[in-house]
Amino acid sequence: MTRPKGTLIRNPTITRINHWITAACFVLLTLSGLAMFHPLLFWLSNLFGGGQWTRAIHPWIGLVLVVSYAGMIVQFWRDNLWTKTDLEWTLAIGRVLANEEESVPEVGRFNAGQKFVFWSMALLIPVLLFTGILIWDYYFETLTSVGTQRAALLIHSLAAIAAIIIWVIHVYAAIWVRGSMRAMTQGYVTPGWAWRHHRKWFRALAATGSPGPEPHVDDNKTRK
């Protein structure tokens, strides 16, 4: 797809594919996990062909998610490092929510909210992987005790609930900030969007004359 003239590349094709594979896996894991979480939600197992299929496919989707999110980490870990600007941005979150970003500290490619989602998932997914392996009866039932499995199941469930809440916040924010969904579906944003929401990132592109994506922006360096 050809982007409109004058727009900026926010997410290359490979990034968007990686993102949507991760998103699809997360949705499927949420649905299949909820089906096994409580009897009232067991009807969701029909989406996967029944209870046995749901139980069988859930951990394999989880492995795909781990590999896919590892790809996201490789691409974005440096742009998601925490900086002093992020703390200032967080303290001004009220103005961000009120769409009064002119007086909010400038941010690079990702703001503090996006970094929170990134690192929270980077922490929770390994927890879900490790605890998921401990309760994967088909392969590991004989290697773990009942007490260990019960503890792992509790931690797995709590981590999953936390991940779902963070995912909901992520989706809501993407819809709330107009133009953000297009960045991940079509890959581009307008200069006005970049200037308003990620001004330091925009300045980096302008300085290099590149339409994006740009090299890592060091948010700790203040603009002269």
Side-chain angles (χ1 to χ4, degrees):
M1 177 179 175
T2 303
R3 64 185 175 85
K5 185 177 180 180
T7 55
L8 304 172
I9 300 173
R10 178 69 172 170
N11 296 298
T13 301
I14 187 65
T15 296
R16 301 200 306 275
I17 292 175
N18 193 171
H19 173 273
W20 289 114
I21 290 175
T22 302
C25 287
F26 189 85
V27 171
L28 291 174
L29 285 168
T30 297
L31 295 174
S32 57
L34 290 175
M36 296 182 288
F37 181 73
H38 196 278
L40 289 177
L41 299 173
F42 184 72
W43 60 272
L44 290 171
S45 65
N46 293 324
L47 298 172
F48 303 91
Q52 290 299 320
W53 274 109
T54 301
R55 186 178 181 183
I57 199 173
H58 181 84
W60 290 107
I61 298 174
L63 292 180
V64 176
L65 174 69
V66 170
V67 174
S68 183
Y69 200 78
M72 301 289 287
I73 292 176
V74 169
Q75 294 181 77
F76 298 127
W77 72 269
R78 194 177 181 192
D79 287 310
N80 279 282
L81 294 177
W82 192 262
T83 68
K84 180 181 178 181
T85 302
D86 293 318
L87 176 59
E88 296 171 352
W89 186 92
T90 302
L91 294 176
I93 190 64
R95 281 174 281 168
V96 175
L97 296 176
N99 288 319
E100 299 173 355
E101 295 186 58
E102 286 299 323
S103 58
V104 173
E106 296 181 6
V107 296
R109 187 169 186 180
F110 301 113
N111 59 43
Q114 293 167 317
K115 291 179 180 182
F116 169 77
V117 171
F118 179 87
W119 291 115
S120 295
M121 289 300 188
L123 172 64
L124 290 170
I125 288 177
V127 171
L128 289 167
L129 171 65
F130 180 69
T131 55
I133 289 175
L134 292 178
I135 58 178
W136 197 351
D137 289 347
Y138 189 82
Y139 292 105
F140 305 102
E141 181 178 15
T142 60
L143 301 178
T144 56
S145 66
V146 173
T148 298
Q149 290 184 354
R150 288 175 177 173
L153 182 59
L154 175 61
I155 296 172
H156 191 84
S157 299
L158 293 175
I161 291 172
I164 291 172
I165 293 174
I166 292 170
W167 176 79
V168 170
I169 294 173
H170 173 62
V171 173
Y172 179 80
I175 296 173
W176 174 263
V177 181
R178 186 177 180 180
S180 295
M181 289 295 294
R182 181 176 57 201
M184 194 50 76
T185 56
Q186 301 179 55
Y188 69 88
V189 294
T190 64
W193 183 94
W195 175 260
R196 180 174 184 180
H197 302 296
H198 297 271
R199 192 165 299 182
K200 194 168 289 187
W201 177 69
F202 178 82
R203 293 185 191 280
L205 295 182
T208 60
S210 169
E214 88 302 343
H216 171 67
V217 177
D218 188 351
D219 286 347
N220 287 312
K221 293 181 178 179
T222 57
R223 185 171 58 90
K224 301 296 184 181

